[in-house]
Every structure is written in C-alpha cells, then in structure tokens.
C-alpha cells in the first residue's frame, strides 16, 4: 500500500510531532539562555556530556550479551589507540558480526 | 588552546596549552580521515592570548562557517550510512502501519528522531491515537533538551538562528560526534548542522527505500548495524574521559541509568542518569 499521497490529517499529526520534537531539541538551550547560571550549576552542566553518553551506553550494553561487550571493548581499544572514529566504527561492526557468529 | 597545538603538538609541553583546563586541554580531535585538514575558518582568530584568567570551563572561540559544516558532513557520513539501516527499518514499519511513502518521508524529514518515529508508527492505528502519540513523542525526545543543554558552552556564542537551526538536525549520533569535536577545542560551531544534514539526507532516503523496497533488504541486525549507536558512543566515551574527575559523575550516571532503565518506561533513564550526575557535581563543587 505504498501510495504516494499525503492525507491532510496524517500530515497534521506528523507536523505536530515535528513541532513537539523541535521543542524538546531546543528546550534545554533556550532555558539556559534565559536564566543566569551560577558557577555551581555550570560545573554540573560540564559533566553532562560524559554522563549522557554513559547513561545511553550503560543500559544498551547491559541489554546486550558477550558479543556486544567484546565488540565494545574492541571499539574502545581502537578508538584509544588510533583516535580514528571511522576505523573504530568499522572494527566494531566487524567485531560484533564476528563475535555473534562465534559466541 | 590554539588550533595548532590541538592538531599537532599533542605530546609536547607547549606552554601555550597550559592555560587550558578541564576537558579542553590539548586533546586531539577526531582525525580527519581524508587528511585534507579543511579547517581554514577562524584560523588566526584564536591566537590571542587570554587576557584574563581562564574560567573554570574555557571553550575557546567558536565560529560558524563552511569549513566546520564540511568537517561535520564528512565525519558524519559513515555514521549516517550506518544509521540508514534504521531508516530502512522505519520505512518498513511505516508501510506496515499504513503510511504512504509521502507520509513516511514527511515524518522522517520533519521529526528526525528515530526512536520516537518507530514508536509512533507502532502506535499508529485507525483512528490515529493522536494524544498517545504526542505524549510518547515528547517523553522519548525529552532527552534532547538535556543533550542540547550540554552544547550550551559553545552554542552561546552563535546567533539564535544558527543555534536553533542546528538543533533541528540534532539526533543521538551526530550529537555524539559534535561533542567529541567541540570538546577537543575545534571551535567548529557548524559541526552539528553539517553532521545533521548528512544524517537527514540518508535518513529520508532510507525511509523511502524502506517503504518501497524494505522487504527485499531485511533487518539491520544482519549487518551488525544495530551496533552503530553503541559503537559511536563507546568511541565518544573514550574521547570524553577526563581522568579521575570523570570517575564519580560517570559512576553515578551509569548506576542511576541502569537501574532507571529497568524501572522507568521509555527513555527517562537517560535524563535520570545525566541529571543525577549533574546534581552530584553541583553538590561537590568547591564543597
């Protein structure tokens, strides 16, 4: 049923989703541009990047198995040694496919 | 913290870099795969020596130009190709839910938030449960507010149009690439939009492909593409690790996120983990 047409009501729902999503994307920055941020809060914000990364990654890896854990180790090692994202990414994909076949 | 010593003198004890503090020291940025070094913008601007003591968190000058956009675009390209596997999967789900090619492509082009799009088409039925879909969309995407807040040290020097325009193109993967780039001291304010545009192009194209020809391609798991997000975040974690000062906030974030992922619905665990780490850091600041 892959027809091309766009139903106006469907388009309305999709655009409402788009507006809501855009609001979440800009919300954090918008609030920080309105309020004066103290040094203490600044210090808290400075740990956000690493904390968010760990928060996304932790449960993702907990959900995985030995193959994903080993592949994550490969990515970390390659990223640390080479500092090349693409190399680390490719090594990780090869590793995860390989480990899934083996483990 | 000039570009010269972030790019070249990583191992030297260049005194010019000693004023840089925190995570903005002379850490190398992602190595340019093409080796072109296309980053002429703002060269020279950041040679001015700091006239006042560096604040607790110095980020250096931030520019918004084509060179930064291009670097974001080329760095984001391989990741975008990986994420496109999910675009195909989304297209297949959308097709099964009864959306047309045009409607699915419209959603990918205007929403650009994979997880919430997947959930929306899972919830899709006749009549469309608008309130449920909107609630799920906001709940799943609220994490972007905290991710956008993390960009504030750099985005504060952009115009509102540049900053908010860039944030439209923010997704998990290119946010990660951008944090890696900006914390290395690159000052490339257009990196987010550059890496976002390439992601957007592949996401929309893959969505269309998924609706039209999804059945013939199969699931992304077959090619290990479900691991792309985790791989990008592992590499970013290696880049963001700042020694012992990272230990406590990271441990708090990890513990809270893992527990919250088991107990809370949706993606609240990301906000819980990030928020808990920030609160702990606020409490121990100069304590």
């Amino acid at each position: 049923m892959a027809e091309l047409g766009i139903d106006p009501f469907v388009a309305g729902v999709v655009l409402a989703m788009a507006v809501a999503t855009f609001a979440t994307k800009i919300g954090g920055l918008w609030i920080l541009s309105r309020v004066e941020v103290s040094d203490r809060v600044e210090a808290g914000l400075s740990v956000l990047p690493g904390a968010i990364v760990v928060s996304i990654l932790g449960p993702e890896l907990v959900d995985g198995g030995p193959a994903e854990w080993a592949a994550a180790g490969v990515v970390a090692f390659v990223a640390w040694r080479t500092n090349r994202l693409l190399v680390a990414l490719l090594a990780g994909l090869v590793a995860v496919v390989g480990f899934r076949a083996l483990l | 913290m000039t570009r010269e010593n972030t790019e070249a003198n990583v191992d030297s004890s260049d005194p010019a870099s000693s004023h840089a503090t925190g995570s903005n020291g002379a850490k190398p940025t992602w190595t340019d795969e093409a080796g072109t070094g296309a980053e002429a913008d703002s060269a020279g601007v950041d040679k001015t020596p700091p006239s006042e003591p560096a604040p607790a968190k110095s980020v250096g000058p931030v520019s918004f130009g084509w060179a930064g956009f291009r670097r974001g675009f080329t760095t984001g390209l391989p990741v975008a190709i990986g994420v496109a596997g999910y675009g195909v999967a989304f297209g297949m789900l959308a097709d099964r839910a009864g959306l047309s090619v045009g409607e699915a492509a419209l959603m990918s082009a205007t929403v650009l938030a994979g997880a919430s799009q997947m959930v929306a088409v899972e919830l899709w039925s006749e009549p469309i449960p608008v309130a449920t879909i909107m609630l799920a969309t906001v709940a799943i995407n609220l994490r972007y507010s905290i991710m956008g807040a993390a960009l504030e040290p750099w985005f504060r020097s952009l115009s509102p149009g540049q900053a908010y325009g860039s944030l439209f193109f923010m997704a998990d993967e290119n946010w990660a690439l951008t944090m890696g780039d900006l914390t290395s001291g690159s000052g490339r304010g257009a990196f987010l939009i550059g890496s976002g545009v390439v992601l957007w192009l592949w996401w929309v194209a893959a969505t269309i492909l998924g609706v039209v020809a999804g059945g013939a391609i199969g699931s992304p798991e077959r090619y290990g593409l479900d691991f792309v997000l985790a791989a990008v975040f592992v590499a970013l974690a290696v880049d963001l690790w700042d020694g012992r000062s990272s230990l406590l906030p990271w441990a708090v974030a990890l513990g809270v996120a893992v527990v919250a992922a088991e107990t809370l619905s949706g993606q609240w665990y990301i906000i819980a983990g990030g928020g808990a780490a920030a609160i702990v850091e606020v409490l121990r600041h100069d304590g």
Side-chain angles (χ1 to χ4, degrees):
Chain A
M1 62 168 73
E3 70 275 7
L4 198 65
I6 298 179
D7 178 80
F9 182 67
V10 169
V13 175
V14 168
L15 291 179
M17 281 178 66
V19 170
T21 301
F22 185 60
T24 64
K25 288 184 180 180
I26 67 170
L29 189 70
W30 186 81
I31 290 170
L32 288 182
S33 72
R34 301 283 125 164
V35 298
E36 197 59 40
V37 178
S38 69
D39 277 3
R40 291 176 78 91
V41 174
E42 188 94 358
L45 292 176
S46 74
V47 304
L48 273 186
I52 294 167
V53 168
V54 171
S55 299
I56 291 176
L57 199 53
E60 175 108 7
L61 289 179
V62 167
D63 274 350
E68 285 76 22
W69 303 335
V74 169
V75 174
F77 182 77
V78 175
W80 172 54
R81 297 304 299 179
T82 70
N83 209 55
R84 283 172 165 267
L85 175 68
L86 185 56
V87 176
L89 205 59
L90 287 176
L93 290 188
V94 170
V96 82
V97 171
F99 286 137
R100 278 174 185 168
L102 290 173
L103 298 176
Chain B
M1 209 166 58
T2 63
R3 169 138 319 113
E4 283 79 352
N5 58 45
T6 57
E7 292 287 321
N9 306 330
V10 174
D11 297 318
S12 79
S13 53
D14 183 353
S17 66
S18 62
H19 72 272
T21 56
S23 61
N24 305 303
K27 282 208 293 186
T29 182
W30 298 119
T31 308
D32 186 0
E33 301 294 337
T36 54
E39 53 198 54
D41 69 327
S42 88
V45 176
D46 48 6
K47 289 197 182 127
T48 327
S51 53
E52 53 199 70
K57 192 175 188 313
S58 71
V59 294
V62 176
S63 67
F64 193 88
W66 275 110
F69 182 97
R70 269 200 306 275
R71 177 63 85 89
F73 196 95
T74 52
T75 309
L77 181 60
V79 175
I81 294 171
V83 170
Y86 274 90
V88 173
F90 167 72
M92 292 165 67
L93 287 176
D95 180 41
R96 232 175 293 157
L99 275 78
S100 70
V101 187
E103 289 160 353
L106 180 71
M107 194 189 287
S108 282
T110 60
V111 178
L112 190 66
S116 65
Q117 290 180 231
M118 298 266 190
V119 170
V121 296
E122 289 291 328
L123 293 169
W124 213 267
S125 55
E126 200 57 54
I128 303 172
V130 180
T132 312
I133 287 175
M134 293 302 294
L135 204 64
T137 301
V138 171
I140 292 168
N141 291 334
L142 209 55
R143 72 181 185 285
Y144 286 129
S145 285
I146 194 168
M147 291 163 81
L151 288 165
E152 195 270 345
W154 298 274
F155 274 33
R156 71 168 65 139
S157 34
L158 304 185
S159 76
Q162 290 168 344
Y164 295 139
S166 294
L167 287 172
F168 171 81
F169 291 97
M170 178 173 70
D172 298 303
E173 290 82 4
N174 67 319
W175 174 84
L177 298 178
T178 304
M179 287 313 304
D181 187 72
L182 288 175
T183 53
S184 74
S186 74
R188 284 186 278 261
F191 191 98
L192 182 70
I193 191 166
S195 54
V197 165
V198 71
L199 196 72
W200 183 90
L201 289 170
W202 282 84
W203 183 244
V204 174
T207 299
I208 294 169
L209 185 68
V211 178
V212 175
I217 295 167
S219 70
E221 280 78 5
R222 251 175 67 195
Y223 311 100
L225 293 181
D226 57 314
F227 193 65
V228 168
L229 180 72
V232 169
F233 274 74
V234 168
L236 176 65
V238 170
D239 202 46
L240 288 179
W241 177 254
D242 202 25
R244 270 184 50 200
S245 66
S246 298
L247 194 59
L248 179 66
W250 287 34
V252 169
L254 181 65
V256 171
V258 167
V259 171
E262 298 294 321
T263 50
L264 305 178
S265 66
Q267 313 224 336
W268 290 104
Y269 64 91
I270 299 169
I271 294 164
I279 289 167
V280 166
E281 192 67 17
V282 166
L283 293 178
R284 85 164 171 170
H285 181 70
D286 286 342

